[in-house]
Amino acid sequence: MSMANLEIEQAAGSNDAWFVRRGAGTPQDGLAALFRLMGVAEASPHATAPITTRRVRAGVALFHEGTCAQAVYFIAVGTFKLMHTAEDGYEQVLGFAGRAEMLGYDALCQRSYPTTAVALEDSTVYALPAADLFGLSARVPALGRVLHLAASRQMLHQVEIAHLMAAVSAEVRLARFLLQLSDHMAERGQSPRRLYLRMSRRDIASHLGVAHETVSRSFGALASWGCVAVNNREVEILDRERLLACASNTRGLVHPRCGAAADGPRLARAQAAFG
Amino acid sequence: MSMANLEIEQAAGSNDAWFVRRGAGTPQDGLAALFRLMGVAEASPHATAPITTRRVRAGVALFHEGTCAQAVYFIAVGTFKLMHTAEDGYEQVLGFAGRAEMLGYDALCQRSYPTTAVALEDSTVYALPAADLFGLSARVPALGRVLHLAASRQMLHQVEIAHLMAAVSAEVRLARFLLQLSDHMAERGQSPRRLYLRMSRRDIASHLGVAHETVSRSFGALASWGCVAVNNREVEILDRERLLACASNTRGLVHPRCGAAADGPRLARAQAAFG
DNA sequence: CGATCGTTTGACGGTGCTCAATCACCGTGG
DNA sequence: CCACGGTGATTGAGCACCGTCAAACGATCG
């Protein structure tokens, strides 16, 4: 197949052209690439959809909050951070998105994007025009399915994020965040042990709902407990069991009955992590 | 029209029958009712879909986390709380859902529901079978659109919840929660001033990520500042401007430059609310 | 009317936020 | 080559908000 390594072509494609129309001669190329990215077998080989490819440099916004919703995007390569700017100017990081994740879907029910998506590294996305998205979804059933599945997966991701925020302790939140990152890496076939954090400490802090100094301290705590090794943005998970034990402390100590329990909260938590 | 007050019929319908097959003679009744509920004009008058109606008593779960995903639900009347039970048994309230909101969509990308939905009052839902949901969505384009719009709205709701959690102060979180509730009431044509909280303080506390005693104290604080009047589960918004001012404090005080700013943190915040 | 649950209020201790300084890294220009 | 400013990460000190424990109060239902 000539499109066996299509994404690699696109990833290494021309640097200066930001908008690239795919498949002028073979209109199903963009659609096929999207189906392959999302891991579904295309049902209708002669279906067509006006899918374009867009490259975004690190630090550049794919779309801004409040701007007119023109497209729904699928990340082919790269990482994005999604954020929400409050009226007072405070920037809240809602989450991070990687390969095969969908962006901008939440803009469908209104005219503008409710969030801003910023590339954390040089990235490539597929763009589906939002204007006739419902028509496309009806004409190409497989595309409708891809959209539904991606939307459903995104909601599942929100549950994980809620689980993150449920922890009261900063170390537990960070541990859960790292484990989620590790799982997402594993899903994409990457190493779940060695992580390279594309986002800054400030972004992590905003996402976890703590001060960025606290993130540094929590990294130090996890490292001193032997869970991870941290060197700036390189994180290696040394002891996954221990990290899991640390991440499973929802609230002080879980069931009050299930152990000798809370002596000094901090000490008890550290011991639980070692136990 | 004979179906002008269809929901009312269903809400006051037979009490003992939990599953009610709608429209044995006229198969499009369920679909038409769903379209009316979601506020879209049905495009295809002769379309059909196996939509059933289900009534759920207060305190009963519509579906449990981990059980096989059988249907996607739309709330016709009533209120639900969505929660996630962690491995350690800790129950985290993810949010609340009311009329015209969708439940169970996040189960589509896997075989089971990731969350539990519990009715907070006697409620009625429309059920779409999950098995051939993609087929239905393809055969009835308007239904696909309803699903996409509802999913998109749900994601928008998640952004609001993230905005909730972005606040560090308990009073600010509660103020934002009340304002969101007020807005949702207004969207459904109800009074945005007088709220009756269907959920307990514990549920609110879990949702806001604070202790339930703190929720009580925060209610007291908002009341003492003249923002609201609280009587058990009845809440009246006395001064919306003041409540908004209180809710807009993201972090201590927003831009350090924008005022005389932080004297005593607590005092400064209270004054900002009065300013 | 008693029992159970939900709500409120109090006191205390700890965690994390704020403020601040230091260090590491980097691209620039002298 | 080194000085220089800028950004990001780390570490420290102090204090206030909130979580925990505890008890009183109120509501609802049998």
Side-chain angles (χ1 to χ4, degrees):
Chain A
M1 281 299 172
S2 67
M3 53 181 176
N5 47 6
L6 191 55
E7 309 128 31
I8 301 170
E9 284 177 35
Q10 289 168 344
S14 57
N15 276 332
D16 38 11
W18 272 40
F19 287 86
V20 181
R21 187 77 176 203
R22 295 291 311 169
T26 52
Q28 71 272 27
D29 264 2
L31 203 55
L34 176 61
F35 284 161
R36 287 203 322 106
L37 172 67
M38 302 308 288
V40 299
E42 60 260 55
S44 47
H46 57 280
T48 172
I51 295 178
T52 59
T53 300
R54 179 168 166 188
R55 309 187 72 246
V56 185
R57 295 228 158 271
V60 177
L62 177 60
F63 51 80
H64 277 284
E65 178 179 348
T67 58
C68 177
Q70 296 169 337
V72 171
Y73 300 96
F74 292 85
I75 303 174
V77 290
T79 315
F80 286 81
K81 83 171 170 189
L82 277 84
M83 53 186 208
H84 176 76
T85 306
E87 312 78 49
D88 50 26
Y90 180 76
E91 289 184 354
Q92 163 77 7
V93 172
L94 303 173
F96 306 100
R99 186 187 140 92
E101 291 195 77
M102 185 171 55
L103 297 174
Y105 186 87
D106 45 6
L108 288 186
C109 65
Q110 52 180 23
R111 39 205 167 289
S112 59
Y113 293 109
T115 61
T116 301
V118 176
L120 294 176
E121 56 182 326
D122 291 359
S123 306
T124 306
V125 296
Y126 300 145
L128 258 81
D132 59 339
L133 191 111
F134 295 137
L136 275 176
S137 176
R139 280 194 299 274
V140 187
L143 183 59
R145 241 183 47 184
V146 163
L147 281 168
H148 279 308
L149 283 176
S152 179
R153 279 236 305 268
Q154 197 163 334
M155 287 183 191
L156 209 62
H157 192 72
Q158 286 296 330
V159 175
E160 295 172 10
I161 290 178
H163 184 229
L164 239 184
M165 303 294 291
V168 283
S169 159
E171 297 98 3
V172 177
R173 287 192 184 185
L174 184 60
R176 292 185 181 181
F177 174 70
L178 292 177
L179 285 170
Q180 286 182 16
L181 224 57
S182 172
D183 291 344
H184 279 238
M185 294 290 281
E187 283 177 12
R188 281 164 207 142
Q190 314 239 27
S191 165
R193 306 271 316 264
R194 304 189 61 86
L195 310 175
Y196 182 77
L197 306 178
R198 297 310 210 295
M199 64 294 289
S200 71
R201 294 284 193 271
R202 270 196 162 72
D203 290 334
I204 298 176
S206 174
H207 183 223
L208 300 186
V210 298
H212 71 277
E213 299 98 326
T214 305
V215 174
S216 274
R217 278 184 257 268
S218 299
F219 266 121
L222 291 180
S224 74
W225 298 344
C227 299
V228 297
V230 182
N231 184 1
N232 210 314
R233 294 195 174 185
E234 293 173 6
V235 176
E236 183 174 6
I237 297 179
L238 298 176
D239 191 339
R240 183 168 225 271
E241 296 305 315
R242 194 172 290 183
L243 194 59
L244 269 170
C246 179
S248 63
N249 293 349
T250 303
R251 215 164 183 86
L253 211 39
V254 278
H255 277 296
R257 70 197 65 167
C258 76
D263 289 332
R266 161 73 55 177
L267 191 56
R269 232 182 292 147
Q271 288 172 344
F274 279 111
Chain B
M1 282 297 175
S2 67
M3 53 183 177
N5 46 5
L6 192 55
E7 310 125 31
I8 300 170
E9 283 177 36
Q10 290 167 344
S14 57
N15 276 332
D16 39 12
W18 273 40
F19 286 86
V20 181
R21 187 76 177 206
R22 296 291 312 168
T26 52
Q28 70 271 30
D29 262 3
L31 202 56
L34 177 60
F35 285 162
R36 286 206 320 108
L37 172 66
M38 303 308 288
V40 299
E42 61 259 56
S44 48
H46 56 280
T48 172
I51 296 178
T52 59
T53 299
R54 180 169 166 188
R55 309 186 71 247
V56 186
R57 295 228 158 270
V60 176
L62 177 60
F63 51 80
H64 278 283
E65 177 179 349
T67 58
C68 177
Q70 297 170 336
V72 171
Y73 300 96
F74 292 84
I75 304 174
V77 292
T79 315
F80 286 82
K81 82 172 171 189
L82 278 83
M83 54 186 205
H84 176 76
T85 307
E87 312 80 48
D88 52 25
Y90 180 77
E91 289 183 353
Q92 164 76 9
V93 172
L94 302 172
F96 306 100
R99 186 187 140 91
E101 291 195 75
M102 184 171 56
L103 296 174
Y105 186 86
D106 44 7
L108 288 185
C109 67
Q110 55 180 19
R111 40 208 166 287
S112 58
Y113 293 108
T115 59
T116 302
V118 176
L120 294 176
E121 55 182 326
D122 291 359
S123 306
T124 306
V125 297
Y126 299 146
L128 257 81
D132 59 338
L133 192 111
F134 294 137
L136 275 176
S137 176
R139 280 194 298 275
V140 187
L143 182 59
R145 240 183 47 185
V146 164
L147 281 168
H148 280 307
L149 283 176
S152 179
R153 278 237 305 267
Q154 198 163 332
M155 287 182 191
L156 208 63
H157 193 72
Q158 287 296 331
V159 176
E160 294 171 11
I161 290 177
H163 185 228
L164 239 184
M165 304 293 290
V168 283
S169 159
E171 298 99 4
V172 177
R173 287 192 183 185
L174 183 60
R176 292 185 181 182
F177 174 71
L178 292 177
L179 285 170
Q180 285 181 17
L181 224 57
S182 172
D183 290 345
H184 280 238
M185 294 291 280
E187 284 176 12
R188 281 164 207 142
Q190 315 239 28
S191 163
R193 304 273 315 264
R194 304 188 63 86
L195 311 175
Y196 182 77
L197 306 178
R198 297 312 208 296
M199 65 293 291
S200 72
R201 294 284 193 270
R202 269 196 163 75
D203 291 334
I204 298 176
S206 174
H207 184 223
L208 300 186
V210 298
H212 71 276
E213 298 97 326
T214 304
V215 173
S216 273
R217 276 184 259 267
S218 300
F219 267 121
L222 291 181
S224 74
W225 298 344
C227 299
V228 297
V230 182
N231 184 2
N232 210 313
R233 293 195 175 186
E234 294 173 6
V235 176
E236 181 174 8
I237 297 179
L238 297 176
D239 190 339
R240 183 168 225 271
E241 296 305 315
R242 196 173 288 183
L243 194 59
L244 270 169
C246 179
S248 63
N249 293 347
T250 302
R251 213 164 184 87
L253 212 40
V254 278
H255 276 296
R257 71 197 64 167
C258 76
D263 288 332
R266 161 72 56 178
L267 192 57
R269 231 182 292 149
Q271 287 172 343
F274 280 110

